[in-house]
Amino acid sequence: MSEVKKLGVVISYEFLKHIRRKRLYVILLLSVVTELAVLIGFPALMDGFPENVKLMATMLSIGPTMAVIGAIFFAGDAIAGEFENKTGYMLFTNPIRRTTLVIGKYLASCLAVAILVIFGYLMVCVSLLAIYSEIPVETAQSFGLCLLYGATVVAITFFFSAISKGAMGATVITLVLIMVISGVIESVLMFAGQPYWFLISTAGDSITLVYGGMELMLAGFVPLDQMSNFPFEFENPDIGLTTLAMVIYLVAGLVSSLVISNRRQLS
Amino acid sequence: MSEAIVIENLTKYYNSFLALKNLSLRVEGNENVGLLGPNGAGKSTTLKIMCGLINATSGKVYINGFDIAKEKEKALSQIGAIIETPEFYGFLTPNETLGYFGKLRGMSGSGLNSRINEVIKLVSLEQWLNVKIEKFSRGMKQRLALAQALLHDPLILILDEPALGLDPRAVIEFRQIITAAGKDKVVFFASHQLSEVAQICKHVAIIDHGKLLGYDGIEELERKYNSLENAYLQLTGVPIE
């Protein structure tokens, strides 16, 4: 039996595990609640929906958050769990390369994250069509970047899952790194006027920046003539560079998790 | 190489702790061998190296002629194993779990399905075939582990305390299944239970502190030491009153 066929088997059963877990449906439910909060909250608090469809698209875009949460919850225990829960004693005695297993698990996690992202963008598209009867063309680019971002966060989580003793450790480390540490560094570099395109949190931000950047967000809430009162100038990161950063994180995370998993022993 | 299992000068260090010291053992193609030894003797370490779960510090293990370190997939395709207390994915059912492992071993279609039904019946889990494993007791997981070890009809069974945690009736059933399997397979079986090993195996290897203390037929050991128990106690250095 070829390794490619084995890879297909691993993907199908690992994906089955993901769709059996309650966490997938909990994240889907939370995303519906979040979108409803925006759709109800906006007209209630802001005297109707914004005129600019791109601004509303930006406000409704929960894809990046879903990608991060989904990736971390699906991938956190992918490798560490086999050692922590001792399921590896069954799985690793099968005649399959550890590399094939890890890649299969990675692709299955990416598939599960893709479901979340697709669901999130479907909600955005349906909402925009209902309110504005149009969908900005940038939505396609945003969707593509979000899928890449999800795959990147899965790869980073795989790295931490490969080096962690437990799944919880991998989950928490990745969450803190992406949502807190990278975000804080991004803010500092942004205020200091230094380049920050290489940060993983910036990659996440670039998913909504395709609609028009910070200026679009602020223009929706602050009159344009008052924008000059802001203490610093926004410089949006280059989407090409943030995409490059994502690809680098993805390759580095996946390759290092493969190397570490191959060396790790079930002692 | 005609031997089913060849272990040559196997040494394993866990950091500075020596778990196995130059262990050598050869198992012919028609033998069932019990691996006996006190806690910490190196039994589980030996089995884990044989199954490719950990790497030896030095030495070789050949499974049906395949070097476990260099031809791991080919070596693993020869064996069915239960190592330590078996754990499974709780979200899957036995049917799905066995389907997963069976497909990884190249089984498919109706052949796989009928074999799953066969081994599930053998371990008396028919009623639980499509129930999620998260609801299973330890004994039921142990039964499922035996089913997965037998699923692909391997040439060699490597079992680490397979009856641990089972009730007396299940222990008897397990022994019967393994004894029947041992008629056309090599069973390499680690246990603390001398009586259990004596009922399943014709040969025993006794190890302690990572060293092979004796490897012979049970009848020969009984002749030499009066009983298997005496052989075990004398070889492992426990004073006999």
Side-chain angles (χ1 to χ4, degrees), chain A residues 186-247:
Chain A
E186 181 185 348
S187 302
V188 170
L189 291 176
M190 191 196 293
F191 276 90
Q194 298 298 316
Y196 57 97
W197 60 268
F198 49 85
L199 293 167
I200 187 65
S201 54
T202 312
D205 293 342
S206 71
I207 295 166
T208 49
L209 288 180
V210 297
Y211 289 112
M214 294 289 190
E215 293 84 355
L216 173 75
M217 290 285 288
L218 289 170
F221 306 101
V222 181
L224 278 172
D225 57 349
Q226 290 180 25
M227 282 194 67
S228 57
N229 296 331
F230 270 78
F232 65 96
E233 287 185 5
F234 293 111
E235 192 176 331
N236 290 317
D238 182 83
I239 302 290
L241 285 176
T242 57
T243 305
L244 175 67
M246 280 195 267
V247 172

Side-chain angles (χ1 to χ4, degrees), chain B:
Chain B
M1 207 169 287
S2 62
E3 290 103 334
I5 299 167
V6 175
I7 299 172
E8 283 180 353
N9 298 318
L10 205 60
T11 298
K12 175 67 182 177
Y13 277 95
Y14 292 111
N15 297 319
S16 60
F17 176 73
L18 180 63
L20 288 178
K21 188 179 180 184
N22 291 324
L23 183 74
S24 293
L25 201 64
R26 286 171 182 267
V27 179
E28 298 290 336
N30 58 352
E31 287 179 354
N32 294 334
V33 176
L35 187 62
L36 292 172
N39 289 329
K43 302 187 298 293
S44 290
T45 298
T46 306
L47 299 194
K48 284 177 187 173
I49 294 173
M50 290 170 72
C51 292
L53 295 171
I54 57 174
N55 300 325
T57 306
S58 64
K60 296 275 186 190
V61 172
Y62 296 94
I63 305 289
N64 254 6
F66 298 111
D67 184 341
I68 189 72
K70 291 180 180 168
E71 302 166 286
K72 194 169 171 180
E73 286 76 41
K74 285 180 181 170
L76 291 179
S77 66
Q78 312 290 312
I79 66 168
I82 304 177
I83 305 293
E84 290 213 351
T85 310
E87 287 299 335
F88 296 90
Y89 303 121
F91 306 103
L92 300 183
T93 66
N95 198 16
E96 289 159 349
T97 301
L98 295 178
Y100 185 10
F101 294 156
K103 284 176 186 171
L104 288 180
R105 290 184 176 274
M107 303 167 79
S108 62
S110 58
L112 173 59
N113 290 335
S114 63
R115 183 61 183 159
I116 288 173
N117 289 326
E118 214 173 294
V119 291
I120 280 290
K121 193 176 175 189
L122 196 65
V123 298
S124 307
L125 282 177
E126 303 101 305
Q127 306 296 319
W128 300 85
L129 186 61
N130 294 306
V131 177
K132 284 184 187 173
I133 298 169
E134 63 192 4
K135 295 189 170 70
F136 281 27
S137 67
R138 185 174 169 180
M140 290 163 75
K141 287 180 188 171
Q142 206 86 14
R143 287 170 181 270
L144 182 57
L146 185 58
Q148 70 79 34
L150 293 167
L151 179 68
H152 52 290
D153 199 15
L155 296 166
I156 300 164
L157 278 178
I158 296 174
L159 309 171
D160 186 6
E161 304 270 3
L164 199 69
L166 293 175
D167 60 66
R169 178 181 291 276
V171 170
I172 294 165
E173 286 174 16
F174 252 55
R175 192 186 304 140
Q176 287 169 345
I177 294 167
I178 296 168
T179 306
K183 285 175 183 164
D184 60 354
K185 297 181 196 310
V186 171
V187 178
F188 197 78
F189 177 42
S191 179
H192 289 108
Q193 306 295 322
L194 300 185
S195 59
E196 195 174 58
V197 169
Q199 288 181 62
I200 294 171
C201 306
K202 290 239 169 3
H203 293 74
V204 291
I206 300 173
I207 65 170
D208 196 11
H209 297 104
K211 286 190 283 190
L212 183 67
L213 305 172
Y215 178 36
D216 212 338
I218 291 177
E219 286 181 6
E220 284 73 23
L221 286 171
E222 283 175 341
R223 259 199 301 275
K224 201 170 168 184
Y225 295 91
N226 291 327
S227 69
L228 179 60
E229 194 177 48
N230 275 347
Y232 177 83
L233 291 173
Q234 285 195 29
L235 288 169
T236 54
V238 179
I240 304 167
E241 293 175 5

Side-chain angles (χ1 to χ4, degrees), chain A residues 1 3 6-7 9-14 16-17 20-23 77 82 85-98 101 105 262-267, chain B residues 12 14 48 51-55 72-74 76-77 79 81-89 91-93 95-97 99-101 103-107 132 145 148:
Chain A
M1 188 185 188
E3 286 298 312
K6 287 179 187 174
L7 180 67
V9 172
V10 175
I11 293 170
S12 60
Y13 279 91
E14 289 293 328
L16 180 64
K17 273 164 54 187
R20 286 277 172 81
R21 290 170 139 176
K22 284 185 186 131
R23 58 184 68 172
D77 64 351
E82 298 290 354
N85 304 324
K86 298 189 173 181
T87 46
Y89 284 116
M90 286 291 147
L91 185 62
F92 298 154
T93 54
N94 285 291
I96 178 169
R97 288 180 190 159
R98 201 72 73 86
L101 270 176
K105 282 171 171 281
N262 274 315
R263 294 173 62 89
R264 200 165 167 179
Q265 299 184 41
L266 258 168
S267 53
Chain B
K12 175 67 182 177
Y14 292 111
K48 284 177 187 173
C51 292
L53 295 171
I54 57 174
N55 300 325
K72 194 169 171 180
E73 286 76 41
K74 285 180 181 170
L76 291 179
S77 66
I79 66 168
I82 304 177
I83 305 293
E84 290 213 351
T85 310
E87 287 299 335
F88 296 90
Y89 303 121
F91 306 103
L92 300 183
T93 66
N95 198 16
E96 289 159 349
T97 301
Y100 185 10
F101 294 156
K103 284 176 186 171
L104 288 180
R105 290 184 176 274
M107 303 167 79
K132 284 184 187 173
Q148 70 79 34

Side-chain angles (χ1 to χ4, degrees), chain A residues 19 54 58 101-102 132 153 175 208 220 228 233 237 242 259 262:
Chain A
I19 59 173
K54 290 181 185 176
T58 305
L101 270 176
V102 174
Y132 300 94
V153 179
L175 200 62
T208 49
S228 57
E233 287 185 5
T242 57
V259 172
N262 274 315

